């Protein structure tokens, strides 16, 4: 039924494979029966397998059971969900917050809840796929601006007519690892009365002492700023949240379809997120180690002459040329016990290896990766 389309992908070297671990997530993983040093996960602080997180997941099973049985509006949630929302609001400096089932679900539910036909969304061209899908679902006019181009963004905001205007941006871009110019975006929002929807999926737990991009850029909490973030990356758990004013959270709780029409996250997942959040709040040394590792790796890659674009985060792309070159380097690394995913179109325009470094790596892991890449350069 799909033979022709699959053959077409195969010819272009674009077939993706599902990779399954036989171990916990972390800096070292088992795939098949082989051990690999892993540079593919977004588990930036190694919390997915932290003993306190794992213990807290187990601890609530006897009281709350496993499944949730219904959506939040039908008592699928628990007091743990409520506690997590209060803690997230406090952590993000907002009046209120709501938990969503994933980052993807948050974006496809939130964006249509805050923008509709007659409104205008301004979306960075490198925003995550879930934002693109959310924009499509909203039926608002979506205007794409060049990546991080503030001059273009301001011109477009001035030019377009809409009932409500919303700027949507990733904080850390998931395939390039660079940061949005959030200070300038704030100024535009303030100056023109535009709503800001910030996807801080990769910034939460990583930037600004773990509190995320708003803290990193030292920007005030404003009623016109909506911060989305995930538990699935630096917090090592699953799910997402949206933090904002009481009115915003009340409104989206009436209208975000992915919240209303989907079963709530299991309480044990929420318990793991609560513990992870607590660790991030106290997690000075974990976050420090992450950034020390990031520095070592970025310096090593630059020494080898790799273009790492404008990466300023634990996501470091290395631009490896053509699709065959990129897949060849990834499979050579794999043969030598190092797992680095090759990212190809349609996920990105330009093929690359996408490295993610975590606090779980040690200095020897990073040195080994650099040495191996150097040997592959010949
Ligand atoms: C910027 C961004 N937003 C949203 C998501 C989706 O988050 P989740 O994996 O929790 O669905 C991702 C995941 O890769 C992401 O990178």
């Amino acid at each position: 039924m799909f033979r022709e389309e699959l053959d077409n992908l195969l010819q272009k070297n674009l077939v993706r494979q599902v990779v399954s671990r036989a171990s916990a997530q972390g800096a070292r993983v088992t795939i098949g029966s082989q051990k690999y040093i892993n540079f593919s996960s977004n588990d930036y602080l190694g919390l997915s397998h932290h003993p306190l997180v794992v213990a807290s997941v187990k601890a609530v099973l006897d009281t709350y059971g496993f499944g949730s049985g219904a959506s939040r509006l039908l008592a699928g949630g628990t007091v743990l969900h409520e506690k997590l929302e209060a803690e997230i609001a406090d952590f993000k400096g907002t009046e209120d917050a709501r938990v969503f089932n994933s980052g993807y679900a948050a974006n496809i539910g939130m964006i249509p809840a805050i923008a509709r036909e007659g409104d205008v969304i301004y979306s960075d061209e490198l925003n995550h796929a879930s934002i693109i899908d959310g924009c499509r679902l909203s039926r608002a006019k979506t205007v794409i601006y060049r990546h991080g181009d503030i001059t273009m963004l301001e011109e477009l905001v001035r030019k377009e007519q809409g009932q409500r205007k919303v700027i949507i941006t990733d904080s850390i871009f998931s395939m390039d690892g660079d940061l949005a110019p959030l200070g300038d975006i704030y100024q535009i929002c303030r100056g023109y009365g535009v709503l800001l929807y910030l996807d801080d999926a990769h910034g939460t737990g990583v930037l600004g002492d773990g509190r995320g991009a708003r803290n990193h850029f030292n920007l005030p909490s404003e009623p016109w700023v909506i911060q989305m973030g995930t538990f699935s990356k630096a917090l090592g758990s699953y799910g997402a949240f949206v933090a904002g004013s009481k009115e915003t959270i009340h409104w989206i709780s009436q209208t975000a379809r992915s919240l209303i029409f989907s079963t709530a996250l299991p309480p044990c997942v929420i318990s793991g997120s609560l513990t992870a959040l607590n660790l991030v709040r106290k997690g000075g040394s974990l976050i420090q180690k992450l950034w020390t590792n990031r520095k070592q790796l970025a310096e090593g890659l630059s020494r080898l002459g790799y273009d790492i674009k404008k990466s300023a985060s634990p996501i470091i792309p290395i631009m490896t040329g053509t699709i065959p070159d990129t897949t060849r380097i990834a499979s050579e690394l794999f043969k030598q016990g190092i797992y680095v995913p090759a990212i190809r179109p349609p996920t990105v325009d330009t093929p690359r290896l996408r490295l993610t470094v975590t606090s779980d790596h040690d200095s020897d892991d990073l040195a080994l990766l650099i040495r191996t890449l150097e040997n592959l350069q010949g």
Side-chain angles (χ1 to χ4, degrees):
M1 206 161 53
F2 300 108
R3 194 67 270 159
E4 212 173 296
E5 288 98 323
L6 281 168
D7 285 345
N8 197 13
L9 285 181
L10 196 61
Q11 263 171 23
K12 294 184 185 147
N13 209 348
L14 291 178
V15 174
R16 309 175 212 223
Q17 301 294 343
V18 173
V19 182
S20 304
R21 280 178 285 108
S23 66
Q25 186 58 277
R28 277 162 214 79
V29 294
T30 306
I31 298 170
S33 53
Q34 296 293 318
K35 291 204 181 338
Y36 294 87
I37 302 176
N38 180 25
F39 291 97
S40 74
S41 93
N42 303 312
D43 181 21
Y44 301 117
L45 301 175
L47 295 181
S48 68
H49 51 282
H50 191 289
L52 290 177
V53 174
V54 175
S56 74
V57 172
K58 290 180 190 164
V60 300
L61 284 165
D62 284 343
T63 312
Y64 290 97
F66 175 48
S68 285
S71 87
R72 288 298 297 286
L73 301 191
L74 301 175
T78 63
V79 290
L80 295 178
H81 292 71
E82 238 177 68
K83 183 168 181 330
L84 182 58
E85 288 168 343
E87 295 206 2
I88 278 291
D90 182 53
F91 184 61
K92 289 283 177 179
T94 59
E95 286 175 358
D96 207 353
R98 183 67 70 226
V99 168
F100 279 74
N101 288 356
S102 70
Y104 188 87
N107 284 340
I108 62 163
M110 275 301 294
I111 298 171
I114 59 170
R116 54 178 67 171
E117 208 164 352
D119 296 337
V120 185
I121 295 173
Y122 304 89
S123 179
D124 186 291
E125 66 179 333
L126 294 191
N127 276 344
H128 189 257
S130 53
I131 293 178
I132 297 170
D133 294 355
C135 292
R136 285 181 183 145
L137 282 172
S138 76
R139 301 211 178 108
K141 175 172 183 184
T142 301
V143 180
I144 310 292
Y145 60 94
R146 259 191 314 276
H147 180 49
D149 188 335
I150 287 300
T151 312
M152 180 178 186
L153 176 59
E154 186 167 6
E155 249 166 48
L156 290 167
V157 167
R158 224 185 278 131
K159 195 172 93 189
E160 298 291 338
Q161 300 300 323
Q163 289 153 34
R164 180 182 290 129
K165 296 182 173 184
V166 188
I167 295 176
I168 305 185
T169 184
D170 286 10
S171 58
I172 295 178
F173 289 86
S174 57
M175 292 296 143
D176 286 43
D178 59 336
L179 270 56
L182 215 52
D184 293 331
I185 293 177
Y186 246 66
Q187 291 306 330
I188 294 178
C189 289
R190 188 192 308 282
Y192 295 92
V194 177
L195 214 69
L196 173 61
Y197 182 81
L198 177 66
D199 180 333
D200 206 13
H202 294 277
T204 302
V206 169
L207 294 175
D209 294 331
R211 286 173 189 271
R214 190 183 65 76
N215 213 41
H216 173 82
F217 284 92
N218 211 5
L219 299 166
S221 190
E222 302 278 4
W224 42 264
V225 178
I226 302 171
Q227 300 174 69
M228 171 271 183
T230 59
F231 297 111
S232 53
K233 298 184 173 34
L235 284 124
S237 176
Y238 189 71
F241 61 84
V242 170
S245 70
K246 267 203 181 315
E247 189 179 289
T248 299
I249 300 304
H250 190 43
W251 170 244
I252 60 98
S253 303
Q254 318 304 311
T255 46
R257 291 168 68 82
S258 60
L259 174 80
I260 299 168
F261 297 108
S262 190
T263 300
L265 285 176
C268 61
V269 172
I270 300 295
S271 176
S273 296
L274 272 164
T275 308
L277 182 60
N278 220 357
L279 287 165
V280 167
R281 291 186 108 144
K282 300 193 250 166
S285 62
L286 279 181
I287 298 175
Q288 239 167 33
K289 173 107 185 290
L290 168 66
W291 284 99
T292 305
N293 283 349
R294 193 264 164 204
K295 186 166 183 282
Q296 183 186 338
L297 186 55
E299 284 174 358
L301 293 168
S302 299
R303 243 192 341 269
L304 294 186
Y306 281 118
D307 172 10
I308 62 166
K309 303 198 88 179
K310 291 189 178 147
S311 163
S313 75
I315 301 170
I316 310 181
I318 54 180
M319 307 312 282
T320 30
T322 61
I323 295 173
D325 281 344
T326 305
T327 49
R328 180 183 52 77
I329 299 172
S331 65
E332 282 299 329
L333 288 171
F334 198 68
K335 275 187 214 149
Q336 299 189 46
I338 299 174
Y339 180 43
V340 177
I343 313 287
R344 293 161 288 170
T347 306
V348 287
D349 282 346
T350 328
R352 68 200 60 187
L353 297 179
R354 177 188 185 262
L355 295 161
T356 46
V357 63
T358 71
S359 60
D360 234 11
H361 289 108
D362 58 37
S363 182
D364 289 346
D365 297 331
L366 308 178
L368 179 67
L369 171 63
I370 298 292
R371 241 185 359 263
T372 313
L373 282 167
E374 190 169 13
N375 292 338
L376 289 175
Q377 284 180 332

